[in-house]
């Protein structure tokens, strides 16, 4: 056996060629030696078969005795041994070189191929996949349970919805913006408060508004006033002089300048007028006719009567 045949037999693999089945023609007139004869009631078949057997070829054991030629060539060349040996060595060297090239190409391809790190591969339960020992699997299961328990205890509020704002929807299914609704309700409440304050302010008179503004000014100036006010305080003296006292014996000696205008800047009525319980003077355009229902007159009469009865009661007690 040559070196090329040895290498091809032990180190090279080749696809085996499928064997071709030769189609053999069945020769006419050759039988298998099996004859099926039907019984004929008329007796014609036996005579005909005997005649055909006499005329046909002789069959031995169901096989033909035809000679088959051999396809293999068994001739050998003598005197060309050196040439065949050098040819076999060159073929063997070529085969070895091709095998080495294929091996180096395969190794290079394996080096350049991306490596897969099995350490990061995990199954659905979070445990690392691959071949492991029982202790490693138990430790990973314990670690996964601990992580799951910590995640549940720390993130239970977010996952369960505890503490989250409730989502409200209207009849059509649209989300109601609570912030906008709250702002609208707050604005509506502020408008109602402002409207009530405006109505209350409209019910006041001009004098009350002036007095309120004056009171605010006095409070603003009080920040700069000293804590103690003495007898030489000019502002205090002017304020005390302007007060009217019913039992002041020197009131008749004081000359006051008559006021021609009110605190609102309008002119005052200077003629006689019926008093009223509020101490309000009539307007400067009043014509002097009392168009009331007499309630103010009866009110003052009742007040005076009650006061007179009290004085008489006291006088009778003193007489006794």
């Amino acid at each position: 056996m040559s070196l090329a045949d040895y290498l091809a037999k032990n180190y090279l693999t080749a696809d085996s060629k499928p064997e071709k089945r030769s189609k053999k023609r069945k020769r006419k007139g050759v039988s298998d030696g099996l004859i099926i004869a039907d019984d004929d009631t008329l007796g014609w078949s036996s005579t005909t078969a005997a005649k055909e057997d006499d005329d046909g070829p002789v069959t031995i054991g169901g096989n033909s005795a035809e000679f088959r030629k051999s396809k293999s060539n068994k001739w050998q060349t003598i005197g060309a041994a050196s040439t065949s040996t050098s040819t076999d060595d060159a073929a063997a060297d070529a085969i070895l070189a091709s095998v080495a090239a294929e091996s180096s190409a395969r190794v290079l391809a394996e080096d350049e191929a991306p490596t897969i790190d099995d350490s990061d591969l995990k199954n659905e339960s979070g445990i690392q996949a691959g071949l492991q020992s029982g202790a490693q699997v138990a430790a990973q299961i314990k670690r996964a349970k601990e992580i799951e328990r910590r995640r549940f205890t720390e993130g239970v509020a977010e996952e369960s919805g505890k503490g989250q704002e409730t989502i409200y929807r209207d009849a059509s299914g649209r989300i109601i913006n609570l912030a906008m609704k709250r702002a609208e309700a707050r604005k509506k409440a502020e408008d109602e408060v402002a409207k009530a304050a405006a109505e209350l302010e409209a019910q006041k008179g001009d004098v009350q508004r002036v007095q309120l503004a004056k009171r605010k000014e006095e409070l603003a100036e009080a920040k700069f006033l000293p804590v103690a006010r003495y007898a030489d305080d000019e502002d205090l003296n002017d304020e005390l002089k302007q007060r009217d006292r019913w039992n002041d014996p020197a009131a008749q000696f004081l000359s006051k300048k008559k006021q021609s205008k009110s605190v609102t800047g309008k002119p005052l009525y200077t003629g006689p007028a019926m008093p009223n319980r509020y101490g309000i003077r009539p307007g400067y355009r009043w014509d002097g006719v009392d168009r009331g229902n007499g309630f103010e007159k009866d009110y003052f009469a009742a007040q005076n009567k009650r006061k007179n009865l009290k004085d008489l009661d006291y006088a009778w007690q003193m007489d006794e």
Side-chain angles (χ1 to χ4, degrees), residues 29-43:
V30 180
S31 63
D32 296 337
L34 178 63
I35 299 173
I36 300 174
D38 296 333
D39 295 336
D40 192 4
T41 56
L42 299 178

Side-chain angles (χ1 to χ4, degrees), residues 84-156:
S84 61
T85 303
S86 60
T87 305
D88 293 341
D89 294 340
D93 294 339
I95 292 171
L96 291 175
S98 63
V99 169
E102 290 179 359
S103 300
S104 61
R106 190 182 301 109
V107 171
L108 183 60
E110 290 178 357
D111 293 340
E112 293 179 354
T115 57
I116 300 175
D117 188 6
D118 297 338
S119 60
D120 294 337
L121 296 178
K122 295 183 179 180
N123 52 22
E124 187 178 357
S125 61
I127 301 174
Q128 185 177 355
L131 184 61
Q132 302 175 62
S133 63
Q136 293 177 350
V137 174
Q140 291 183 14
I141 293 174
K142 183 178 180 181
R143 191 182 306 109
K145 289 182 178 180
E146 183 67 21
I147 294 172
E148 181 69 18
R149 186 188 63 80
R150 190 184 306 109
R151 185 178 63 84
F152 180 77
T153 54
E154 293 178 356
V156 64

Side-chain angles (χ1 to χ4, degrees), residues 230-266:
Y230 300 98
D232 57 349
D233 192 344
E234 296 180 359
D235 295 336
L236 180 60
N237 292 331
D238 293 339
E239 182 180 354
L240 295 176
K241 287 179 181 179
Q242 291 177 1
R243 292 181 184 178
D244 293 334
R245 298 173 181 83
W246 66 274
N247 57 352
D248 187 4
Q252 57 183 346
F253 302 108
L254 296 177
S255 60
K256 292 184 178 179
K257 184 179 180 181
K258 293 183 178 181
Q259 297 179 357
S260 60
K261 292 185 179 180
S262 64
V263 293
T264 58
K266 297 179 181 180

Side-chain angles (χ1 to χ4, degrees), residues 191 211 218 227 315:
D191 294 342
Q211 290 177 354
E218 290 177 356
V227 178

Side-chain angles (χ1 to χ4, degrees), residues 274-275 277 290 292-306:
M274 291 293 295
R277 51 186 165 168
D290 187 5
N293 55 4
F295 177 79
E296 298 292 337
K297 183 178 180 181
D298 296 339
Y299 174 79
F300 284 109
Q303 292 287 337
N304 295 332
K305 184 178 180 180
R306 188 182 300 110

Side-chain angles (χ1 to χ4, degrees), residues 57-87:
V58 179
T59 302
I60 301 173
N63 297 324
S64 62
E66 184 181 359
F67 176 75
R68 296 180 180 179
K69 296 181 180 180
S70 177
K71 295 181 180 180
S72 61
N73 189 6
K74 296 183 179 181
W75 291 94
Q76 296 181 359
T77 303
I78 301 173
S82 60
T83 305
S84 61
T85 303
S86 60
T87 305

